[in-house]
Amino acid sequence: MPTPPNPYEQAPQIIVREVGDRQRLLRHEAEDFLQSLIVDYEPRRAAHWDRDYSSEAAFTASVQGNRRRWAEAIGVFEGDGTELNPKLELWCDEDQFTAWWLTIDLLGGLRGRGILALPKGRRDPAPLVIAQHGIGSSPERVFGLDDPADIYKGYGRRLVEEGFAVVAPMNVSGSAPRARLERLCKLLGKTLWGIEVYRTQRLLDYLETREEIDVTRTAMYGISLGGAYTMFTTPLDERISVAIVCAWFNHRRHKMAIDDPRYTSFLSVDEEHIWIPGWLREFTDSDLASLICPRPLLVEQGKADGIAWWPLMLQEYEETREHYRKLGLEDRLEIDLHEGGHEIRLEKSLEFLKKWLQP
């Protein structure tokens, strides 16, 4: 074996090259190792899930431990005794509905806000839809404003015109502002998701006091990051009896950890706020959907949407369908796999809402 050269006698650029080569090798080895662990999900699923499909009640009881661990993973904030102190400011008064900006107190000086719209002319309490906007958006866009590409189709307005009460909670928008708050949450062992899930739960607490609304018939319908909030909140609040996930449902292991030219992976984009400690220990999308089951769930996804490679997404959907099939509840799960992109489609979702929420 030849004697290696004395590093102190080598040219500086050779040392620089060797330092860089070793670093690249170390990084690639670590990434390959971690990616292989993430993708090799089945052993973790077997270790963490033990579902009982003998009845709906048995199934729900068998996943209670997973539900508790999901709440812990996203760090849902707990109440500190702060009263709601709701405030309503008239925002819009149209022929078919009236809408207000609703503000409630959450924790200390933290407040929750959203637009609440009620249909006119109903003689009975209206079913409720929580219409959750995406990361670069707003409650106003839910109602058809500030949406030049018509991605949202004014779905909040359309729903209230169809006789639903609609609340559109306001989330923090933008990757950088969300990342800043996420860092502070992480210092407390929490996440920004946990604050905003708690906000939605407290909004429901208030809406239960409104005689115009029947909260026992509540759906959550969110797009993009709002679809994530639908997936994340519905398992933790039994008052949400129907869920519609638009432009979010995915093959979560690949979406989070594997680069692919057919879709954007969160691994390679600047979305610090998205990461949840322990997420893929046991909560890929089909498993998280099993915490929504046996409640009705509709997945709305466009084949032209770059967030997902739709054949991979369908694999995850088929795994979700198994939960409903084993319970004999396949009619409660549907998919609207359309030819469009990252957008609300609404028509099939509206039928789904009427089917499960209208008396």
Side-chain angles (χ1 to χ4, degrees):
M1 179 179 295
T3 302
N6 186 334
Y8 290 99
E9 296 176 355
Q10 289 187 293
Q13 60 267 30
I14 298 299
I15 300 299
V16 170
R17 167 67 186 270
E18 290 178 348
V19 168
D21 286 349
R22 288 191 178 93
Q23 268 297 315
R24 282 186 289 274
L25 178 61
L26 177 61
R27 292 196 297 266
H28 282 296
E29 286 175 344
E31 184 169 311
D32 289 347
F33 168 72
L34 292 169
Q35 286 176 322
S36 66
L37 280 182
I38 289 166
V39 172
D40 187 22
Y41 182 76
E42 291 307 317
R44 297 196 298 281
R45 175 179 279 159
H48 290 293
W49 294 87
D50 185 20
R51 300 179 183 90
D52 182 348
Y53 295 98
S54 61
S55 69
E56 289 185 43
F59 178 84
T60 300
S62 70
V63 298
Q64 283 303 98
N66 306 87
R67 198 182 312 278
R68 173 182 52 78
R69 290 193 295 274
W70 175 244
E72 292 170 353
I74 62 172
V76 178
F77 280 66
E78 297 179 356
D80 62 358
T82 299
E83 297 292 331
L84 288 170
N85 297 318
K87 297 177 179 62
L88 289 166
E89 179 183 353
L90 183 64
W91 179 65
C92 181
D93 191 9
E94 295 283 281
D95 291 341
Q96 293 180 272
F97 69 93
T98 305
W100 302 262
W101 268 103
L102 167 63
T103 302
I104 59 172
D105 292 343
L106 293 178
L107 299 161
L110 180 64
R111 294 178 176 85
R113 297 176 176 86
I115 291 176
L116 171 63
L118 297 178
K120 292 182 177 179
R122 281 196 73 110
R123 296 182 178 179
D124 60 329
L128 173 68
V129 178
I130 305 165
Q132 188 62 69
H133 67 78
I135 188 170
S137 191
S138 65
E140 287 90 344
R141 187 168 292 182
V142 168
F143 285 90
L145 301 174
D146 188 30
D147 188 13
D150 197 29
I151 292 171
Y152 281 58
K153 308 294 189 296
Y155 81 110
R157 177 171 185 146
R158 176 75 182 279
L159 288 170
V160 74
E161 289 174 347
E162 291 283 344
F164 295 92
V166 175
V167 64
M170 184 175 73
N171 282 344
V172 175
S173 290
S175 295
R178 290 184 65 84
R180 182 178 177 87
L181 294 173
E182 185 66 27
R183 293 168 198 153
L184 296 173
C185 288
K186 287 291 200 307
L187 293 174
L188 297 169
K190 302 286 188 179
T191 70
L192 182 56
W193 301 101
I195 288 180
E196 293 182 327
V197 167
Y198 176 73
R199 181 275 330 281
T200 297
Q201 293 175 321
R202 290 297 278 159
L203 285 172
L204 283 174
D205 290 343
Y206 165 69
L207 296 173
E208 283 183 314
T209 71
R210 297 294 299 252
E211 62 182 14
E212 311 98 320
I213 300 172
D214 181 2
V215 173
T216 66
R217 293 183 289 148
T218 294
M220 190 164 183
Y221 183 180
I223 175 173
S224 194
L225 197 75
Y229 272 101
T230 302
M231 287 280 292
F232 293 0
T233 308
T234 306
L236 301 179
D237 201 309
E238 294 180 352
R239 292 172 294 185
I240 303 172
S241 54
V242 178
I244 300 176
V245 178
C246 175
W248 173 262
F249 190 87
N250 223 312
H251 190 288
R252 191 56 49 193
R253 289 148 284 176
H254 282 248
K255 174 66 177 179
M256 302 306 297
I258 305 297
D259 287 315
D260 192 304
R262 298 169 297 183
Y263 60 84
T264 54
S265 171
F266 278 120
L267 182 62
S268 297
V269 297
D270 187 16
E271 299 277 0
E272 181 183 343
H273 66 101
I274 212 79
W275 301 91
I276 298 170
W279 189 349
L280 288 180
R281 179 191 61 219
E282 61 182 294
F283 297 112
T284 194
D285 281 20
S286 59
D287 285 321
L288 199 53
S290 77
L291 298 180
I292 296 174
C293 182
R295 290 168 286 178
L297 168 64
L298 185 144
V299 172
E300 193 178 285
Q301 183 66 42
K303 291 183 179 180
D305 188 350
I307 71 156
W309 173 232
W310 64 268
L312 268 179
M313 181 277 299
L314 277 181
Q315 291 179 24
E316 197 75 15
Y317 177 79
E318 289 302 318
E319 291 183 6
T320 300
R321 187 158 67 175
E322 278 299 289
H323 303 306
Y324 286 83
R325 184 190 65 79
K326 289 178 179 178
L327 288 167
L329 302 172
E330 287 184 273
D331 64 320
R332 297 187 188 180
L333 178 69
E334 294 187 28
I335 187 168
D336 182 5
L337 183 59
H338 55 82
E339 303 298 317
H342 198 71
E343 59 186 301
I344 290 281
R345 295 294 278 193
L346 186 58
E347 296 308 322
K348 185 170 183 177
S349 296
L350 181 57
E351 294 175 6
F352 193 76
L353 290 170
K354 289 180 177 179
K355 175 181 178 180
W356 294 108
L357 293 185
Q358 298 283 27

